[in-house]
Every structure is written in C-alpha cells, then in structure tokens.
C-alpha cells in the first residue's frame, strides 16, 4: 500500500520531462493512467466480505513513527473517491487546459495532492497522517495559485494556506496530546483504548484542537471563508480538491475519531452545531452569489456542514447517512463543477447575471446540470441519490437521542427545523443555478464568446459522474452492502444494518422533504422580491472583513511594534540591552537572595591607595564633563595610569608594565585621531535622555559593585594558584609565575591573543589603505 | 580595601556606560576603554588583593599574590588594546567618509 500511496508522488518527478513533448501529446494522457491504476487496485477490495487490511513499513521506529497503513471501509470509500474522481478530473483537464499552459506544473501539483490525500485516508499513524495532511494544504496552495499572475489567485492561495495550516498545527497539538495520553501513535490502538482517552483530563483539550483542524480543513463556519476564494483555481482543481476530496479530509478526521468521542456530550454539541450552522449559513449565502463557482463553493460549504452535523449526531443511522452523503456529494458536486467549467470555457464568463438561455446551445451540459442540481436539491425522484441522503438526514435529525444536559436537549428540539431551513435554501440555490444558467432570457450578444456545445471529451467526465448519481439512485442497496455499510461500521464502531428505500410511506421525513420542495418553489419564483434581505443579513458585515481586518491589523501592529524599537539608533539598542541585563541580573539576585556582605577577609585600607582611587574616580567622572577632545583624551590617560599605579600597589609588576605601555600607545593613538574627529561640543541630549542614561549607567555600576562584593564575600573553594606557584620552577623552568602561566601553562590563550593583535593590525592597515571611490560601491 | 576597589570598578562601569550611550564616536571609544579598566580591576579584586609578595619566585618567600588573575588580565589588556586601536581607526574612517561622528545620523539605510 505504501507504493500505491507514493506512486503519484514518485511519478510526478518525471512529469516535467514528459511535459516537454507537449507539442505532440497532452501530458494529461500519461497522468490519466496513474489514478486509473490506483482505482483498479482499490476496486478489488470492494465486496460484501470485506476485512480491514493492515500494512506497516518502518520509517522512524525509535519515535514510533512508521508508515502504518490501515484500509477499512471508510478509507476504502475515500480512496476510491480520490482515485476515481482523480482520474475523471485528469480526463476533464486534458480538454480544459490548453497545451500552452504550464502543464508540467499543474500535473506535478495534482499528483502531489493525490499522494497526500491517499496518505491522509490510509494512514493509521497520527504523525504520518499529519505529514500527509500538511502536504495536502501545500499542494492545494500551489494549485489555487496556479495562475499566479492573477492578484486574486494569490490572495485566495494565501488565505487558504493561512487558515488550513492554522488548523493543521492545531490538529498536530491534539495528536500530540492523544499520543501522550495513550502512549501509542496508532489510531486503531487509540480506538481500542478509548476509555483511557475519555478518562484523561486532557481529553477536552485534545478534542478541541483536533476539531479546529477538522473544521478549518472542511470549511466549517466560521473558517469557511477560504473556500469561495479558492475558486480562483482552475476548474478541475475546484472540482477535485474543493468539492470531492480535500474538503472532506476534515470530515474524514471527525469520522475516524468519532468511535473514541461519540459518547462525549460536548462532541455532539460542538460538531452538530458547527455542522448545522454551516449548513444554514452556506446555503443561505449561496443564493446571494453571482459567480457560478461561488454558488457551488457555498453549496459545498453547506453540504459539508450537513455531513458534519450527521457525524456529530453519533447515531448509527446518522453515521450511515453521513457516509452515504459523502459518496453522493462527490458525484453530483464534481459533475456540477465540471459543468460550470464548461460554461465558463464555452461562453467566457461565469457571471450568472450575464448567462441565461443556454439550453438551446448546450443541451448536453444542460441535461448534466439538471441531474446534478436536482440531486443536490433533494427532489424526490427514484433515480437521484441526493434525495435518499437528504431523507436519511431528516430522519436522523428526528431520531436524535434525548440530550443529557440543557444545551443538548435544546439542540435536539431545534435541529430538525434548522435542517429544513438549510434544505430549503439548498433547493433554492440549486434551481437558481440551473435556471439562471440554462433557462430564461437569452443574452447571447453580451457574452464574450459565442456559446456552443463542449467537445465530447470534456463532457465525458461529468457524464460518468452523473451516471454515478443515477446508478446510486436506482440501485442504492448495491452500494450499501458492498462498501457504505463497511464505512459506516468504521465510523459508528459497530456493524450498521440499514436498508435504503425510496418509499417509506408518508413518514415525517418525507413530509419535511415535501415542505422543502413546496416552500423552495415559492422562494425560487419570488427570488427577486426577497433578495433585499441580504442587505440586512449579512449586509456589510462578513467574516471575510474580519479576516482581512485581522491580517491587516497584524501586519500594521507588528510593523508598528518593530519600528517602535528598531529605530536604527545604536544608542537605543545599547540602552535596551544594558537595562535588560541589569533587570534580569537584579531580579535573579533578589529572587535567589544572592546579595551578601562579609567583611571577614579583607585587606587593610591604606591612605595612599585611597588617594589613587579618588584620583581615578575623579578622572572617570571627568570624562563625562570634558568638552574638548584633548581634555577627554588626557583624562582617560589619567585613568589608565592610575590603574597601572594600582597594579604596582597590588604586586602585579607585569601588569603595571604592560598597562603603562598600552596606555601610552593608546593615548598616542587617540591623539592621532584627534585632528580628524570633530570636537565634542554642542552634542547635548535632552534632559530626559540624559536622565535615563544616568539611571542606566549608575544602576549598572551599582549592580556590578554589589555582585563583586557578594562574590568576594562568599568563599566557595580555594584557589588553584598554589599549583602554579609550586610547579612554576620545577615544571615550567621559570621564576616569574605570571609569565610561565602565559607561555607555558596556558599558552594557548597567548597564541590567540597574538592572533587578535595580528588581525587588528591587518584590519587597521586595510581600513587606512583601501579607498572605495564614491559611486563605485 | 577590596570593597573600595570594587566601588571604584563600579564607578568605572557607570561612567563607561554613560559614555557608551553618548552620541559621539570618540566618547563611545572612551567608554569602552573605561569599561575594560573596570573589568580588569574587577578580575584583580576577585583574586584577593595584596596577600604576599609579587608572584616572582624568590628564596625565603612563602606568600605570593595570586598569579592567575594577573595572567588573565594581561591577556585582556592586550586584546582590549587591539580592539581600542581598531575602533579608533574605524571611527576615524567613519567620520571622514560620512562627514559626521554623530551616532544619531549614522543609522544605516532604511532597506537594510
């Protein structure tokens, strides 16, 4: 199974070479073989006697991260959708995309996505699942931005990337919590140990994180906003990724983990509410759109919400209905996207206000759209699969188990009404899509191209999908036993026996369907009269605006914060660094009670030394007030000589000698620069700045003194210098211990100190010698 | 006495940092020089002041001052001298190339 998952990814490496011969052959013809082979591989598993298959390949065994693949009913359903619709989409894209496009890029991204998606649905290891999950986000980003020269494509790609990666990372957090709780990385082992997870205090956190991941990927309210903008992708991509496969990854995640969480009250509340709200909002907003693909995008959002709601219900019948609708939705939505692409391709526009009356020009497309939209609307005809799933949806809303708490009880009461509300609007936008495009007034003159029927090859894929709609509609139970029941079993956690029948009698669910059709018909015919309602809800408020505001605010705030402290002034950076050092050290010392004063072990104070110290202090303070360069340099010299005097007093002859020489040379160097540097006057800061600088410097000096006193007062262990003194003569062969340390015992220091001097000398030489003429930089 | 020398080191640190925070290049270099003086005195004091003769072995002497801090300071003096001279030449070059030694004007380009 590893090879099946990786085949598209591996073969995508040779696509760029094949796409070079595009003058003779469309690259898609070669690519078409890949999903077909995969589809044939998976179709062999279909049957009533299906048993889950498990395979494992080592990747990082030490971390428990392996390519563990697990093929059960749910994975099989998704794998068939991915490869089957993948093949049809590639077939469609052969006719949709011109040979002049960058086909190499397109098919590489598409195959990458196919691998990633197969990996997501087949992985049993959560970290491998996460890896493939992010790969779907990345390849989706690349595909949305396929026409990268368009501003809107880039905007849509970035938006989907930010939102889905945000969700992906959140899901990753949930996965880590789960693996910490159970000590395993395998989903199936987790399901077997569900009670460990349910009893853990981290369970709500893990569930919340995972649901954010699922909701962002499956475009649930309020994370649905990326999906309409993702419609800037080429239509084959919209049909494949944004209706049939990727947006169902979130549903897959919820379905996969629902055996663990299904009994948890808040799982029901959160998932059903998210689903129902998404269903209503998506279908309500779809009627308001003018772009064919935007209608379909909001329709996808609402249908995904419906499936999500059913997964949240947690009953066996709801799980069955959810799985069934995943299959149905993939067939009719895929075909509708392809029809929208055909209309766009043959007329040059997707704006429904400009379209109309295309039935006579494009009878085949119109017929395909008719089946697709009627199935989507759930019109009660025995050959449309959408009706069965809608009926099961209504039935499952009615059969909800009584809630344990107040919120759940309230939800159980209200959900059927919301379901009917969402379905009414589903009916409205389905017919609006169909009649707005193919019926009504002909406006052929205003279209960019003269409309005509699409080539047969282009119609082939939507035709096969519509055939699927009808076949599932006519023989629902043939699909039931072979794989829907197996998939539902994986979701519900126990065997599910459901019989799909067209006629249940005049049941409440059927009455709900009739109500939907009746009210929907009225609303469709009076659409112009009530469409003003959109100026009130949502009006100017939309979640897009909030997203845009967040992005631009984050941008401007971070810019403001950065320009606030990154002023380019080195003095400010210096002050910040020093204050930070000061505050951190001070608070550390205070917290650990580090300041101590112990005067037991001190040398006696003598007047000569006091005099030297006072002179140095006076000179050091004098540097601040000196106005002339010469004065400042000489005062620094006084400090240096004073320090060397202290070295003399404290029995350090070598130091005194070196300090004297170095100080003399330094002063000479200062004097050399003296003529070339401007004078020190007239560079005064404001009082506030001077005060801050004063506080920082005095604070730092005080702190260093205190640290020095504390360090001196605490005697941890003796010195190692006894060794140097003892062995200087015998081992080093010298009596000057300091010099023996420098060249013998710690000679390496000296070597590199010489190197430092050498580098400094070279740098000074080149600074003086190299002159870069202005303008030649 | 150690406390007094440490106070002196503190004063040197304080004045050094006040100079470092000034506008003019020359003042900043003066600040680094003072800072290294302060650090040297700090190291010297850590080895305890004046507990015997200079660390040059001689007959009949049993108490010497600690030679290790002296070796460390000697290394440090040389390094800080190298840095100071490099900074001076750099300041000279900066001031002549840009016609200013004011740190407020030496801020680099916006695009960097």
């Amino acid at each position: 199974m590893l090879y099946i998952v990786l085949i598209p990814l591996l073969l995508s490496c040779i696509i760029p070479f094949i796409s070079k011969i595009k003058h003779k052959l469309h690259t898609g013809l070669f690519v078409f073989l890949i999903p077909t082979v995969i589809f044939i591989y998976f179709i062999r598993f279909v049957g009533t006697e299906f048993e889950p298959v498990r395979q494992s390949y080592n990747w990082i065994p030490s971390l428990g991260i392996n390519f563990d693949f697990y093929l059960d009913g749910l994975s099989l359903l998704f794998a068939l959708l991915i490869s089957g619709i993948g093949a049809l989409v590639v077939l469609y894209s052969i006719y949709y995309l011109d040979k002049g496009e960058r086909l190499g890029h397109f098919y590489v991204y598409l195959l990458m996505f196919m691998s990633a998606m197969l990996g997501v649905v087949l992985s049993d290891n959560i970290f491998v699942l996460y890896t493939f999950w992010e790969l779907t986000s990345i390849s989706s980003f690349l595909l949305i931005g396929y026409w990268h020269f368009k501003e809107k494509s880039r905007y849509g790609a970035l938006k989907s990337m930010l939102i889905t990666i945000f969700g992906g990372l959140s899901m990753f957090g949930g996965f880590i919590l789960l693996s910490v709780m159970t000590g395993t990385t395998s989903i199936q082992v987790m399901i077997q140990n569900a009670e460990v997870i349910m009893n853990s205090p981290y369970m709500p956190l893990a569930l919340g994180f995972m649901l954010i991941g699922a909701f962002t990927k499956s475009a649930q309210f309020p994370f649905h906003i990326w999906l309409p903008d993702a419609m800037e992708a080429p239509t084959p991509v919209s049909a494949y990724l944004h209706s049939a496969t990727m947006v169902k990854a979130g549903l897959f995640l919820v379905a996969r983990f629902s055996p663990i969480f299904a009994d948890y009250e808040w799982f029901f509340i959160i998932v059903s509410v998210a689903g129902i709200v998404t269903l209503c909002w998506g279908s309500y907003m779809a009627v308001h759109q003018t772009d064919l693909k935007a209608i379909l995008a909001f329709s996808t959002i609402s249908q995904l919400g419906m499936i999500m709601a059913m997964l949240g219900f947690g009953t066996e019948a709801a799980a069955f209905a959810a799985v069934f609708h995943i299959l149905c939705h993939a067939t009719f939505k895929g075909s509708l996207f392809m029809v929208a692409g055909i209309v766009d391709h043959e007329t040059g526009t997707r704006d429904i206000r400009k379209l109309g009356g295309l039935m006579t020009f494009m009878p085949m497309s119109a017929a395909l759209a008719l089946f697709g939209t009627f199935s989507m609307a759930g019109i009660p005809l025995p050959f449309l699969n959408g009706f069965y799933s809608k009926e099961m949806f209504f039935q499952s809303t009615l059969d909800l188990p009584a809630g344990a708490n107040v919120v759940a009880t309230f939800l159980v009461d209200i959900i059927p009404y919301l379901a009917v509300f969402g379905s009414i609007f589903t009916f409205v936008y389905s017919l609006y899509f169909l009649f707005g495009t193919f019926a009504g007034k002909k406006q052929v003159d205003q279209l960019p191209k003269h409309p005509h029927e699409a080539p047969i090859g282009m119609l082939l894929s939507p035709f096969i999908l519509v055939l699927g709609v009808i076949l599932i509609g006519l023989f629902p139970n043939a699909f039931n036993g072979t794989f829907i029941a197996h998939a539902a079993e994986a979701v519900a956690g126990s065997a599910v026996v459901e019989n799909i029948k067209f006629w249940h009698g005049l049941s409440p669910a059927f009455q709900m369907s009739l109500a939907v059709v009746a009210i929907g018909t009225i609303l469709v015919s009076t659409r112009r009269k009530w469409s003003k309602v959109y100026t009130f809800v949502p009006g100017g408020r939309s979640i897009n605006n909030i997203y845009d505001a967040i992005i631009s605010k984050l941008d401007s705030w971070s810019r403001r914060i950065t320009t606030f402290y990154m002023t380019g002034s080195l003095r400010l950076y210096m002050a910040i660094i020093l204050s930070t050092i000061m505050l951190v050290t001070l608070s550390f010392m205070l917290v650990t009670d580090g300041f101590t004063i112990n005067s037991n072990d001190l040398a006696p104070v003598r007047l000569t030394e006091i005099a030297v110290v006072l002179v140095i202090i006076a000179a050091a303070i004098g540097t601040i007030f000196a106005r002339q360069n010469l004065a400042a340099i000489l005062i620094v010299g006084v400090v240096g000589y004073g320090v060397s005097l202290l070295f003399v007093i404290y029995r350090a002859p070598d130091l005194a000698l070196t300090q004297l020489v170095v100080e003399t040379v330094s002063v000479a160097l200062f004097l050399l620069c003296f003529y070339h540097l401007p004078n020190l006057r007239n560079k005064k800061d404001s009082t506030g700045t001077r005060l801050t600088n004063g506080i920082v410097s005095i604070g730092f000096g005080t702190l260093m003194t205190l640290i020095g006193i504390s360090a001196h007062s605490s005697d941890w262990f003796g010195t190692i210098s006894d060794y140097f003194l003892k062995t200087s003569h015998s081992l080093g062969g010298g009596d000057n211990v300091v010099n023996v340390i420098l060249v013998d015992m710690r000679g390496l220091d000296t070597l590199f100190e010489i190197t430092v001097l050498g580098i400094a000398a070279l740098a000074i030489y080149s600074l003086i010698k190299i002159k870069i003429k202005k303008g030649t930089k | 006495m150690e406390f007094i020398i440490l106070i002196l080191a503190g004063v040197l640190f304080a004045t050094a940092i006040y100079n470092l925070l000034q506008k003019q290049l020359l003042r900043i270099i003066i600040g680094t020089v003072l800072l290294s003086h302060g650090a040297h005195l700090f190291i010297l004091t850590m080895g305890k002041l004046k507990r015997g003769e200079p660390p040059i072995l001689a007959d009949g002497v049993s108490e010497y001052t600690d030679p290790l801090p002296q070796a460390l300071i000697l290394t440090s003096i040389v390094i800080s001298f190298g840095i100071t001279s490099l900074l001076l030449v750099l300041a000279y070059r900066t001031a002549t190339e840009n016609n200013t030694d004011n740190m407020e004007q030496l801020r680099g380009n916006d695009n960097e």
Side-chain angles (χ1 to χ4, degrees):
Chain A
M1 230 182 285
L2 176 72
Y3 300 103
I4 283 296
V5 170
L6 292 184
I7 272 175
L9 202 59
L10 295 175
L11 289 184
S12 71
C13 299
I14 57 168
I15 294 295
F17 302 104
I18 291 178
S19 69
K20 296 283 179 226
I21 53 167
K22 60 186 168 194
H23 298 296
K24 291 169 188 145
L25 209 64
H26 198 284
T27 318
L29 288 171
F30 167 76
V31 177
F32 177 69
L33 297 174
I34 300 168
T36 314
V37 167
I38 297 173
F39 185 76
I40 293 168
Y41 172 84
F42 281 116
I43 202 90
R44 296 182 305 126
F45 290 100
V46 173
T48 42
E49 303 296 315
F50 174 73
E51 282 299 314
V53 185
R54 188 189 296 275
Q55 282 175 12
S56 190
Y57 306 87
N58 275 0
W59 184 17
I60 316 174
S62 55
L63 295 178
I65 301 174
N66 294 315
F67 287 111
D68 296 330
F69 293 113
Y70 183 74
L71 182 76
D72 62 355
L74 188 65
S75 309
L76 181 63
L77 173 69
F78 271 92
L80 283 172
L81 283 181
I82 292 160
S83 51
I85 297 186
L88 295 177
V89 159
V90 171
L91 183 66
Y92 177 77
S93 71
I94 294 172
Y95 294 90
Y96 187 83
L97 288 175
D98 192 67
K99 279 184 194 169
E101 297 269 8
R102 293 169 305 130
L103 290 178
H105 294 241
F106 182 81
Y107 288 112
V108 167
Y109 303 155
L110 199 72
L111 287 176
M112 194 162 114
F113 171 79
M114 203 179 286
S115 262
M117 203 60 217
L118 285 171
V120 166
V121 300
L122 291 170
S123 293
D124 186 43
N125 189 300
I126 47 174
F127 294 115
V128 177
L129 172 60
Y130 171 72
T131 310
F132 285 118
W133 183 280
E134 292 298 33
L135 196 58
T136 64
S137 295
I138 293 166
S139 46
S140 163
F141 167 78
L142 291 168
L143 283 167
I144 297 169
Y146 178 64
W147 286 314
H148 55 78
F149 41 83
K150 286 202 238 162
E151 167 77 36
K152 283 178 107 179
S153 292
R154 298 200 299 271
Y155 173 79
L158 183 65
K159 194 181 204 175
S160 76
M161 179 85 163
L162 286 176
I163 293 178
T164 51
I165 295 279
F166 160 76
L169 284 175
S170 160
M171 185 188 83
F172 189 43
F175 279 175
I176 290 173
L177 281 176
L178 281 178
S179 75
V180 168
M181 277 183 249
T182 55
T184 176
T185 51
S186 159
I187 297 170
Q188 291 307 318
V189 178
M190 283 177 190
I191 291 174
Q192 283 156 22
N193 296 319
E195 69 277 7
V196 177
I197 297 173
M198 291 304 284
N199 295 330
S200 164
Y202 300 115
M203 186 272 290
L205 212 56
L207 177 64
F209 280 154
M210 270 186 17
L211 286 182
I212 289 176
F215 289 171
T216 50
K217 198 77 165 182
S218 277
Q220 299 295 297
F221 189 88
F223 304 112
H224 66 277
I225 49 171
W226 66 267
L227 190 60
D229 283 305
M231 292 302 128
E232 291 302 322
T235 302
V237 174
S238 310
Y240 188 37
L241 274 68
H242 305 130
S243 77
T245 52
M246 189 181 89
V247 288
K248 297 212 170 94
L251 301 176
F252 173 79
L253 190 75
V254 173
R256 180 52 95 203
F257 282 93
S258 72
I260 298 178
F261 298 110
D263 295 334
Y264 184 48
E265 191 79 347
W266 283 98
F267 177 80
F268 161 68
I269 294 172
I270 296 171
V271 178
S272 333
V273 166
I276 282 284
V277 169
T278 312
L279 164 67
C280 295
W281 183 252
S283 58
Y284 173 72
M285 286 303 287
V287 187
H288 187 43
Q289 306 303 316
T290 52
D291 181 1
L292 288 185
K293 276 172 84 175
I295 299 175
L296 292 177
F298 275 102
S299 143
T300 304
I301 290 168
S302 108
Q303 304 274 323
L304 292 171
M306 176 175 152
I307 302 171
M308 191 64 92
M310 286 191 275
L311 288 173
F313 292 166
T315 58
E316 285 183 1
F320 184 85
V323 173
F324 185 60
H325 194 63
I326 286 174
L327 177 68
C328 299
H329 177 252
T331 53
F332 64 71
K333 190 53 65 67
S335 71
L336 285 178
F337 264 108
M338 289 173 180
V339 168
I342 290 171
V343 169
D344 183 21
H345 206 262
E346 306 305 333
T347 64
T349 181
R350 294 197 313 249
D351 192 331
I352 200 161
R353 289 167 302 188
K354 293 183 189 159
L355 296 166
L358 292 178
M359 204 154 38
T360 47
F361 299 99
M362 308 165 79
M364 294 283 285
S365 310
L368 293 173
L370 178 89
F371 283 106
T373 48
F374 274 29
S375 178
M376 185 158 77
I379 288 173
L381 289 171
F383 51 87
L384 296 174
N385 57 10
F387 170 70
Y388 297 98
S389 47
K390 184 136 301 178
E391 198 78 336
M392 285 192 276
F393 171 57
F394 286 148
Q395 193 59 49
S396 62
T397 62
L398 294 171
D399 293 347
L400 282 177
N405 64 19
V406 186
V407 187
T409 317
F410 174 70
L411 276 177
V412 169
D413 290 339
I414 199 170
I415 277 176
Y417 297 100
L418 288 173
V420 170
F421 173 84
S423 303
I424 289 170
F425 277 92
T426 306
F427 185 87
V428 174
Y429 71 69
S430 299
L431 296 198
Y432 167 56
F433 179 89
L434 178 68
F435 293 131
T437 313
F438 294 104
K441 209 168 50 174
K442 289 176 196 163
Q443 298 171 305
V444 180
D445 305 336
Q446 291 163 25
L447 292 176
K449 288 186 197 169
H450 186 77
H452 55 82
E453 189 56 90
I456 288 295
M458 215 168 185
L459 288 167
L460 194 59
S461 296
F463 176 74
I464 294 172
L465 284 171
V466 165
L467 208 62
V469 169
I470 296 169
L471 280 179
I472 299 172
L474 286 175
F475 312 106
N477 287 313
F479 292 86
N480 175 357
T482 42
F483 52 93
I484 295 169
H486 300 305
E489 181 183 342
V491 179
S494 54
V496 179
V497 185
E498 284 282 322
N499 205 12
I500 311 173
K501 273 193 298 189
F502 174 68
W503 182 248
H504 284 275
L506 214 55
S507 61
F510 188 67
Q511 291 165 11
M512 284 160 89
S513 278
L514 286 182
V516 166
V517 173
I519 302 174
T521 316
I522 297 168
L523 283 181
V524 171
S525 48
T526 59
R527 195 179 60 80
R528 285 183 200 288
K529 290 186 183 131
W530 56 269
S531 60
K532 278 207 190 83
V533 74
Y534 287 100
T535 54
F536 302 110
V537 179
R541 305 169 297 275
S542 75
I543 302 172
N544 263 323
N545 293 349
I546 296 173
Y547 165 84
D548 288 338
I550 288 175
I551 295 293
S552 72
K553 280 278 182 269
L554 283 178
D555 202 40
S556 68
W557 283 344
S558 57
R559 191 185 300 272
R560 213 177 294 165
I561 291 171
T562 310
T563 46
F564 172 70
Y565 71 92
M566 296 295 286
T567 57
S569 160
L570 293 179
R571 305 169 64 205
L572 180 65
Y573 303 162
M574 199 70 209
I576 293 173
I577 292 169
L578 288 168
S579 324
T580 311
I581 294 176
M582 210 165 81
L583 289 177
V584 169
T585 319
L586 191 68
S587 43
F588 176 76
M589 293 293 276
L590 287 178
V591 166
T592 56
D593 205 11
F595 290 116
T596 48
I597 294 185
N598 178 3
S599 54
N600 292 337
D601 189 27
L602 292 179
V605 179
R606 283 196 310 183
L607 265 182
T608 44
E609 296 160 35
I610 297 283
V612 176
V613 166
L614 286 179
V615 168
I616 300 177
I617 289 178
I621 294 171
T623 55
I624 294 169
F625 295 101
R627 291 286 178 84
Q628 303 280 341
N629 279 354
L630 193 61
I633 293 167
L634 291 180
I635 295 172
V636 174
V638 171
V639 177
Y641 290 124
V643 169
S644 54
L645 208 55
L646 280 182
F647 287 150
V648 171
I649 294 170
Y650 293 125
R651 308 284 196 269
D654 302 286
L655 288 189
L657 200 64
T658 319
Q659 180 66 39
L660 272 175
V661 175
V662 162
E663 199 56 38
T664 313
V665 178
S666 299
V667 169
L669 269 173
F670 268 105
L671 289 173
L672 268 178
C673 293
F674 166 66
Y675 283 111
H676 302 285
L677 290 170
N679 221 332
L680 288 171
R681 269 176 300 188
N682 303 329
K683 293 281 170 61
K684 278 217 166 168
D685 281 310
S686 66
T687 323
T689 317
R690 276 188 293 165
L691 194 66
T692 332
N693 289 352
I695 290 171
V696 170
S697 47
I698 290 173
F700 197 82
T702 318
L703 184 70
M704 288 308 283
T705 302
L706 287 176
I707 289 174
I709 290 173
S710 306
H712 190 270
S713 300
S714 30
D715 195 13
W716 297 99
F717 40 77
T719 168
I720 56 163
S721 294
D722 294 338
Y723 172 80
F724 294 129
L725 290 166
K726 217 177 290 170
T727 58
S728 170
H729 188 86
S730 54
L731 292 180
D735 289 336
N736 188 331
V737 184
V738 173
N739 289 2
V740 169
I741 292 176
L742 280 174
V743 298
D744 192 326
M745 294 166 171
R746 300 181 55 87
L748 213 58
D749 289 359
T750 313
L751 175 67
F752 289 110
E753 142 199 354
I754 292 168
T755 317
V756 167
L757 264 194
I759 292 172
L762 280 174
I764 290 169
Y765 177 79
S766 34
L767 268 176
I768 293 172
K769 280 290 172 190
I770 297 173
K771 297 258 192 252
I772 301 162
K773 279 187 195 121
K774 284 203 173 124
T776 58
K777 277 178 200 175
Chain B
M1 197 64 218
E2 277 87 349
F3 288 176
I4 294 172
I5 298 295
L6 284 170
I7 291 168
L8 171 62
V11 171
L12 283 173
F13 279 128
T15 48
I17 282 162
Y18 193 85
N19 274 310
L20 274 181
L21 294 171
Q22 294 302 299
K23 279 179 189 167
Q24 277 195 296
L25 285 174
L26 187 67
R27 279 231 191 275
I28 292 172
I29 302 170
I30 288 174
T32 59
V33 171
L34 292 178
L35 198 65
S36 56
H37 285 322
H40 298 158
L41 285 180
F42 204 88
I43 301 174
L44 190 73
T45 322
M46 289 296 110
K48 302 210 185 291
L49 297 172
K50 231 209 241 175
R51 305 290 157 89
E53 295 301 308
I56 295 171
L57 298 179
D59 289 336
V61 180
S62 58
E63 281 288 301
Y64 295 99
T65 49
D66 197 333
L68 187 60
Q70 295 192 13
L72 297 180
I73 295 169
L74 201 60
T75 311
S76 167
I77 288 176
V78 175
I79 290 175
S80 56
F81 167 66
I83 302 293
T84 307
S85 37
L86 179 64
L87 278 180
L88 270 172
V89 178
L90 203 59
Y92 154 71
R93 210 30 218 278
T94 311
T96 47
E97 289 279 321
N98 295 302
N99 292 323
T100 179
D101 67 335
N102 189 340
M103 286 306 292
E104 291 302 301
Q105 289 164 3
L106 294 168
R107 282 191 179 207
N109 299 330
D110 279 344
N111 296 332
E112 278 172 356

